[in-house]
Structures are given as C-alpha cells and as structure tokens.
Amino acid sequence: MPGMLPLTPQAGDSRRTAFLARIICLFVLCGVGMACVPAARAEDGYDLWLRYRAVEAERAQAYPPYVTQLVAGTTTPTQAATRTELMRGLEGMLGAAPAVAENVTRDGALVVGTAASSPLIARLALDTRRLGPEGYLIRSTTVGGKAVTVIAANQDIGALYGAFHFLRLLQTGQSLERVDIRESPRVKLRVLNHWDDLDGHVERGYAGASIWDWHKLPDYLDPRYTDYARANASLGINGTVLNNVNSNALSLTPMYLEKTAALAGVLRPYGIRVFLSARFSAPIEIGGLKTADPLDPAVQRWWREKTDEIYKTIPDFGGFLVKANSEGQPGPQDYGRSHADGANMLADALAPHGGTVMWRAFVYSHEQPDDRAKQAYSEFVPLDGKFRDNVMVQVKNGAIDFQPREPFHPLFGAMPKTPLMMEFQITKEYLGFATHLVYLGPLFEETLKADTRRRGKGSTVAKVIDGSLHGYAITGMAGVANIGADRNWSGSQFDQANWYVYGRMAWNPNLSSQAIAEEWARMTFSNDAKVVTPIVEMMMGSREAAVDYMTPLGLHHVMGRGHHYGPGPWISGGPRADWTSVYYHRASADGIGFDRTASGSNAVAQYAPAVAREFGDVRRVPEEFLLWFHHVPWDYQTRSGRPLWNELVHRYTRGVDYVHGMRKTWDGLEGSVDPERHAQVAGFLAIQEKEAQWWRDASIAYFQTFSKRPLPEGYEPPPHPLEYYESLEFPYAPGNG
Ligand code: GCV
C-alpha cells in the first residue's frame, strides 16, 4: 500500500500543537500505548469497516498534527453528515475530536467543502472541473501560511465521499503528509438491489430478515437506516432498490410510497436515491385496468400518473427496476410486445422527472426451446438501439445465474447502442450462503477484466460497464445485496467484504480485488501485518477453493433444487429441464460437459469471433471453462497430464484442503482478533469444512456412477454410498422462495 505512515514523526514538524499533547496525555492516562488499543475488545461486526478504533500508539503521534482543526460547513444535511462522520472517525481513532473552527487559525486544519459552501475553498481556486458532481480531491496545501489538508468537491456529496476517503487513509495506516488525491467515479449509477419482500423475507438472503421494517415505517425510522446509508456512502453507492425484483404491486400504493419516502429522507443526505422494482402487471393489480399491455394508452396513462404521484412524494426518486417475462413474472411478451416496448413505456413516464429504467436481461422463455445460456442474447441483441435514452439493460455477469464461475455474459460488448449495466450477486446464493468464507472480489475482477474482443483486444467488460467502449451516456452497476437484520449485517463477518468490494469496484471497476481485500482487512480487523497478510491470503484463494469443491472445470448449476443448498448433481425431472442439474452437466458413460460448440447448442457463436474460436476449441478453451463449453470423455487428458476423471477428483479434494488450511490460519489468529468475531468465523469455517467435504464426496459418488473409474491413488473414497447423499433433504434451507 503506497504512502504508509512513517512510524516516527518528523523532527521539528511545525504542526505539532497542543492537540498532540492532549492526545499523548490521553494515551498516557490510559496506561501505556497499546493498552488503549482495544484490539481484543468484543465486537459483533455491527460497525462494519467503519469501526474507527483507536490507532496504534505509534501512529497516534503522527496523525494529530494533520487534524488539529476542522473547518467544514453544516448548512445542508449532507454537510452536517460529513462533519459528524469526520468528528466521529477522528475522535474514535485519535482519542479526541479536532476543534471545530470557522477559519484556519492553526497548522494542521482540515478544510472540507465546495466552492459554494466554503469561501475558503473558493479562494483556493482548486481545479475541480474534471471531478464531476461526485468526485473530490484531497490535497495538502497552505492557507494564510498555515499547513492544511483540503477536501474539496463540486457538490456536497463529493465532499462526503472525500471525507470517507480521508478517514480511510487513517484507518489503513497511510501517511497524511503531502497528500494529493483526485477521485471521481467511473460508473454513474452504483446501486444495491435488495431482494426484500414486504413481509420481511429476503429472497436469497442469509442475514436474517429484511432491514426495512415496513410495518413501522414511516413513523419509526430505525437508526440502523442511517448506518446503512453511512456504510454505502463510504463506498460511493448512490442508489438502492428497496424491494425484490419478484415484486409486489403493493409497493406502488400510496401507503407504501409514504414509507419509501420516509426511507428516502434518511438516505438522501448520503447521496443515495431510492428506486423501486415495478411489477409489470401493477395496472391490473392495483390500477383496476383489464390489461398491462404497454402499447395500450390507458396503461401508459396509468404509469404516467403513478410516476407523477411517486415524484410528488419522492422528488429525487431514481426510477424502476424490472424483471419481466422471466421465471413467471409478468411482462410485455404476455401481450406480444417486446422488452423494448415495455421498458420504453416506463421510460417515457420517468423521463420528465429524470428517472431511469433498469430493465433486466435475466430472461428465459417459458417454453425453453434452446440452451438457456443463449436466451438473453437472442432476445435482446435484436433490440439494440430500440430503447429510450433513459433505459439501461441490466445484465448478470454470466449467462446462467451467478454460478461460482461463469464465462462473461455474451451480451457484454454486443449491444453498442444500449447502455448495459452489470448485475453482480453479493449474496451467496450459489456460493455456500453466509457460512462459507468466499471472497467475491476475484470473481468480480475476473468478469470485469474479461476481454469481449468486440472492438479488438482490450475491449474488456469493465470498458463496457464504464461506458468507454461504446460511449454510453449512462452507466451503472448493480449488486444484489447480502444485507439483513443480523447484527453483523451480512450474515457473517467475511461477507461484509463482499458488500465492500462490490461498492469499491462499482466506483472504479479497474481496482484490484487484492488491494481491496487488504484495505478491508485493515479497516475491519487490524493494521498489523501479522493479521492482514494471512487474512488477505485466505480471502484471495477462497473463491477458487469454492469453485474446486463445488463446480470444478466449468461444471455449473449442480446445487440442491430450489434452495440451492449443497450438492445435487443428480437433480432431474420436474417442471423444466433447465431447472435440473443433469441438463447442465450431461454426464453419461461417454463423458461429461455441455457441448456449446457448433456441434452442440453453438452458444459460443454469441461471442465475438476471436472469443468464440477460443472457447469453441477444446485445446484452447481456458480449462476452468472446459465443461461449460465441451462434452469430453472421462479419459480426456487435461493440461496437468491427468485424465479428466482424476483431475476432477483432484480439484474437488484440493478445494476441501484449502478450507482445512483456512481453518488452521484462522486458529492461528486467536488472540489477534477480538474473541466474539473470532469465534463466529471459526464456527462458520468448521461448517464450511464439513460442507466442502460433503460437496466433494457427494459429487464424486455421483459422477463415479458414470465414469466407472476408481479414485486415483491417495484420494479417499466418499464415506457413504450415493443413496445417502441423494436422500438428504433441506426443506427449510434459508432464502428460498
Ligand atoms: C429474484 C435466480 C434466483 C431467484 C432470483 C432470480 C433472478 O433464479 O434463484 O431467486 O429471483 O435468479 O435473478 O431474478
């Protein structure tokens, strides 16, 4: 990490003030140095990465000279939030808050604001032109001969983001000397998607009930809503869709709009606009109309009037998210209309108010005629250029459904005239729920760095998303939230990192997942390298380990039916073939894998020719996608030299071994991490170890019935017969429904 703080203060530093003396006194009064640092204090994870615990004794002497005074306005709610956060953070980390002042009167003042809010910043005439409305700069400079740090922006929200960045410098042990930072988001709309139902259930939620207490809203505003806003603002998240995409039309009724407005009021100072998932058939369900046909004038009027009503209650309402004609949801195709017809009708209603439609491309037909992986592309590419300017098409990272590993969605790069936004899943529906430690940063990074080759080499998914590849006027990224009412918000301590990395990558899709993991570990646990290094190491390998013990070599969608908990490669039958596992792995005596080349479904043809050639050639396809694109015999020689069957067994086993390793590493951190969080992580790792073993054993037992091969030497056979694994049932697995 650049610019780490020197451990000893510079001799003769003129910024050493009485403030420093105060801080040192505080530390002395506490005992000596470290005794004050509550490293082993019980914590339950509620504070997330905004813990603001006292910095280590040696740094406690180096920081105070840079924060002797705080010169920041409080005229607007955002300014007030900024000042409160800085006071809270600095007091927590340094033991005392800086003195609040109108003007710089000492060395070491922190000056925060915009040219409009602060005459001081106006006089400094900093070049903020290219920062945009949400960007900021943080710079060491002088005011009237006094050394100061300035956080300047064009709008209040930029200053708030800058304040969080400034606090992060302290939280991660970086120097405040000669700071020169300029930041602005690369993606305009950075939203969370809550799959929260009005009854408090969270679809695919593993962190307890919904945080939105609809029953008590609008009268009672849980203080947790403010902490939610702070956490999101600290990452730059600027929008939230409050309700499930499998939506309930009641969300659009006056009673619920009043509740939504109350939440919007809490989130507004933090730069977060609210959005709602709109049920396409709402005109029938709550409007008394006979149809929801998007070309029917009465339907169009209904949506216009409904939208006007929403904006009367919530003037900065963000817009609608829509899941249509997918998994039984109503949509324009019910009336023979296209996705563009449906999206444009809503877009027209929102346009006068500046609202946006996020129309999901997660669709697959009821009849299911073809490879499910092909359907979104087939339905949407012909519509390129037919959407209104305020429509974005929201595309999952892969063409199936948030699998532990998927190749990038072929739509990325294939719709140059339609802004495509990314949809990542932060909640771990297919990745072990909340109990498996799986850091999703590498998954997000792998997708964003994937090269679509649509405009030559380097046409990465990140460039599609940030708009630079096709010159999109609006850009966006959505993350399906993993947030619930559990004290630790995300169901586990380490799942907080997935919320964190999503937010950081939405701000800048080019950030490295490793750097973000380190930042998060420092803020969440400690700046001590003996803690940070092993935690980051565990995190960085954890996603690959989950791929290994669940879906190695490109296998996919082999989880338990419906709830997706645990292995279920034997799942077959039921209402649709593409809701079974056998549809995806196609194991038989002659081999395993889904042939998506020209001899099979030809899904490879949906990629740019250069990519299609690579994925379609069994000798060139990246091995992690082998069985995604190819059906190969059991004795197919993999790149390790092992026959396919042996390679599968090897990878399943390697995944389990990695989890053993994480347990050991974590055990070694006992005493360095506060006991409450340590114990919870240790307990969850024990569950993960058991379940990784279960995944391995059940998968091997099942696939062995086709491969008819013995396990390679040195690999333990599954302890139970296949029937045992098949007989396990989990009717109450969480998040389903
Ligand atoms: C909200 C998957 C999940 C569903 C989810 C759907 C979607 O199929 O299992 O729970 O529904 O994706 O993204 O719409």
Side-chain angles (χ1 to χ4, degrees):
M1 204 172 270
M4 298 300 290
L5 191 74
L7 291 185
T8 45
Q10 306 297 298
D13 188 333
S14 65
R15 285 180 275 200
R16 227 147 283 286
T17 62
F19 185 91
L20 173 57
R22 224 163 87 215
I23 300 292
I24 293 170
C25 263
L26 263 168
F27 274 81
V28 171
L29 281 175
C30 284
V32 208
M34 291 306 289
C36 271
V37 181
R41 180 174 126 186
E43 292 190 46
D44 59 14
Y46 181 85
D47 293 339
L48 295 162
W49 48 89
L50 301 177
R51 294 160 61 246
Y52 303 137
R53 297 293 185 265
V55 299
E56 299 78 15
E58 61 272 28
R59 288 197 295 127
Q61 295 185 21
Y63 283 142
Y66 298 96
V67 286
T68 55
Q69 277 190 328
L70 180 59
V71 184
T74 48
T75 313
T76 66
T78 302
Q79 289 170 18
T82 306
R83 188 151 108 178
T84 306
E85 195 69 33
L86 282 167
M87 297 293 277
R88 173 186 190 142
L90 294 172
E91 179 165 15
M93 287 188 280
L94 303 178
V100 171
E102 293 288 312
N103 276 306
V104 173
T105 57
R106 313 176 186 159
D107 280 322
L110 182 58
V111 182
V112 188
T114 65
S117 71
S118 156
L120 202 56
I121 289 189
R123 276 206 305 280
L124 284 173
L126 299 158
D127 182 7
T128 59
R129 277 168 306 176
R130 285 191 310 277
L131 292 177
E134 296 177 302
Y136 55 85
L137 60 80
I138 309 178
R139 183 174 300 165
S140 309
T141 182
T142 54
V143 168
K146 309 275 184 226
V148 301
T149 308
V150 180
I151 303 176
N154 290 318
Q155 294 194 5
D156 286 348
I157 187 61
L160 176 63
Y161 291 157
F164 276 115
H165 190 144
F166 179 81
L167 290 167
R168 193 160 70 227
L169 295 177
L170 277 78
Q171 289 175 281
T172 54
Q174 296 187 60
S175 170
L176 295 182
E177 211 182 348
R178 288 191 289 277
V179 179
D180 190 5
I181 292 168
R182 293 178 78 87
E183 278 280 335
S184 35
R186 305 267 173 106
V187 174
K188 284 191 184 144
L189 203 54
R190 307 173 297 277
V191 290
L192 285 179
N193 288 183
H194 287 267
W195 286 358
D196 294 20
D197 297 324
L198 298 182
D199 63 2
H201 174 260
V202 181
E203 182 155 350
R204 310 308 177 183
Y206 312 105
S210 171
I211 53 168
W212 315 129
D213 192 341
W214 293 107
H215 185 68
K216 298 197 189 82
L217 284 165
D219 302 314
Y220 178 66
L221 295 172
D222 191 326
R224 192 168 184 141
Y225 303 150
T226 307
D227 288 331
Y228 167 89
R230 291 175 49 236
N232 282 315
S234 76
L235 305 174
I237 288 172
N238 64 0
T240 183
V241 186
L242 300 175
N243 59 325
N244 193 348
V245 287
N246 291 333
S247 59
N248 185 330
L250 289 180
S251 297
L252 300 173
T253 56
M255 184 171 89
Y256 278 95
L257 289 177
E258 204 190 330
K259 295 168 189 283
T260 297
L263 283 175
V266 178
L267 305 183
R268 188 169 294 118
Y270 294 88
I272 301 167
R273 294 166 86 188
V274 299
F275 293 72
L276 289 173
S277 292
R279 186 158 168 88
F280 201 77
S281 51
I284 302 173
E285 287 155 24
I286 58 169
L289 301 188
K290 295 227 157 20
T291 176
D293 180 350
L295 299 193
D296 185 310
V299 173
Q300 294 171 349
R301 190 175 337 109
W302 188 86
W303 279 110
R304 268 199 315 274
E305 286 169 3
K306 178 51 71 185
T307 307
D308 293 347
E309 178 193 336
I310 295 175
Y311 277 91
K312 269 202 200 100
T313 332
I314 310 161
D316 57 351
F317 179 65
F320 297 126
L321 170 65
V322 186
K323 171 176 177 178
N325 294 118
S326 170
E327 300 187 328
Q329 295 298 308
Q333 292 176 342
D334 301 346
Y335 307 94
R337 314 298 185 195
S338 73
H339 287 292
D341 293 329
N344 291 343
M345 172 194 62
L346 296 175
D348 289 343
L350 288 162
H353 307 282
T356 308
V357 176
M358 298 175 289
W359 191 271
R360 295 178 87 225
F362 178 69
V363 296
Y364 50 100
S365 91
H366 290 299
E367 290 74 36
Q368 178 246 327
D370 201 353
D371 179 358
R372 173 169 151 189
K374 289 166 64 182
Q375 296 186 36
Y377 183 101
S378 309
E379 285 191 35
F380 277 85
V381 168
L383 299 176
D384 191 25
K386 301 213 164 78
F387 291 94
R388 298 280 192 269
D389 290 348
N390 57 334
V391 176
M392 305 184 79
V393 172
Q394 182 170 310
V395 183
K396 288 189 181 182
N397 57 287
I400 294 294
D401 194 11
F402 300 136
Q403 295 304 293
R405 169 168 276 127
E406 294 197 39
F408 70 88
H409 202 302
L411 274 175
F412 293 119
M415 294 187 67
K417 295 187 221 131
T418 309
L420 299 186
M421 63 186 283
M422 172 64 76
E423 179 176 321
F424 281 130
Q425 193 179 46
I426 308 170
T427 189
K428 303 204 315 298
E429 172 182 356
Y430 294 98
L431 280 140
F433 298 2
T435 34
H436 291 210
L437 194 168
V438 180
Y439 172 55
L440 298 177
L443 187 163
F444 298 164
E445 185 172 6
E446 178 177 300
T447 311
L448 291 164
K449 283 200 169 138
D451 195 346
T452 70
R453 303 289 293 272
R454 286 288 176 187
R455 300 228 157 144
K457 279 197 176 159
S459 304
T460 60
V461 172
K463 286 187 183 160
V464 176
I465 296 309
D466 72 15
S468 57
L469 193 69
H470 303 303
Y472 293 156
I474 45 174
T475 53
M477 200 188 281
V480 178
N482 64 352
I483 298 163
D486 277 7
R487 274 294 292 173
N488 65 26
W489 298 86
S490 301
S492 82
Q493 308 300 333
F494 275 87
D495 278 320
Q496 297 178 353
N498 292 329
W499 176 6
Y500 188 88
V501 67
Y502 163 72
R504 299 284 287 125
M505 285 195 178
W507 178 272
N508 181 355
N510 300 316
L511 291 177
S512 109
S513 58
Q514 166 130 9
I516 298 172
E518 176 172 339
E519 197 177 277
W520 175 82
R522 286 174 176 272
M523 295 163 84
T524 304
F525 290 110
S526 160
N527 272 302
D528 183 346
K530 289 202 285 302
V531 177
V532 177
T533 307
I535 287 183
V536 172
E537 254 174 52
M538 278 166 64
M539 291 168 76
M540 289 307 293
S542 60
R543 182 281 187 132
E544 202 59 46
V547 170
D548 275 345
Y549 64 72
M550 291 181 178
T551 55
L553 290 168
L555 287 174
H556 51 289
H557 222 302
V558 287
M559 292 75 189
R561 197 199 291 271
H563 48 61
H564 301 154
Y565 172 64
W570 46 82
I571 303 289
S572 64
R576 333 177 25 124
D578 57 1
W579 284 353
T580 67
S581 303
V582 295
Y583 173 86
Y584 294 102
H585 63 66
R586 306 200 169 202
S588 63
D590 70 356
I592 179 169
F594 196 138
D595 182 2
R596 292 191 164 109
T597 68
S599 57
S601 78
N602 206 20
V604 285
Q606 294 185 333
Y607 289 96
V611 178
R613 277 195 297 276
E614 187 185 332
F615 287 170
D617 181 345
V618 73
R619 287 175 314 264
R620 288 180 60 212
V621 66
E623 207 155 56
E624 62 264 28
F625 298 133
L626 179 65
L627 305 179
W628 188 284
F629 289 112
H630 299 272
H631 187 83
V632 293
W634 293 105
D635 59 1
Y636 175 83
Q637 182 160 354
T638 62
R639 284 171 204 154
S640 66
R642 297 183 196 96
L644 180 80
W645 167 247
N646 291 14
E647 182 68 18
L648 271 177
V649 173
H650 170 72
R651 291 191 183 214
Y652 281 126
T653 310
R654 186 173 73 182
V656 180
D657 289 347
Y658 191 89
V659 183
H660 291 317
M662 287 203 292
R663 277 194 81 182
K664 266 208 202 120
T665 305
W666 189 253
D667 287 349
L669 290 171
E670 198 172 351
S672 308
V673 169
D674 49 280
E676 194 173 339
R677 290 190 300 166
H678 188 274
Q680 192 187 62
V681 173
F684 286 6
L685 282 170
I687 295 176
Q688 183 176 6
E689 187 177 49
K690 198 173 73 181
E691 294 185 352
Q693 188 73 48
W694 166 39
W695 261 98
R696 173 209 181 264
D697 293 338
S699 306
I700 290 176
Y702 174 74
F703 288 124
Q704 197 172 26
T705 63
F706 301 99
S707 81
K708 307 261 190 256
R709 282 162 167 73
L711 262 71
E713 218 182 296
Y715 292 85
E716 288 292 315
H720 302 286
L722 174 61
E723 299 67 48
Y724 164 80
Y725 300 107
E726 287 181 337
S727 71
L728 301 175
E729 283 185 24
F730 307 95
Y732 303 113
N736 197 16

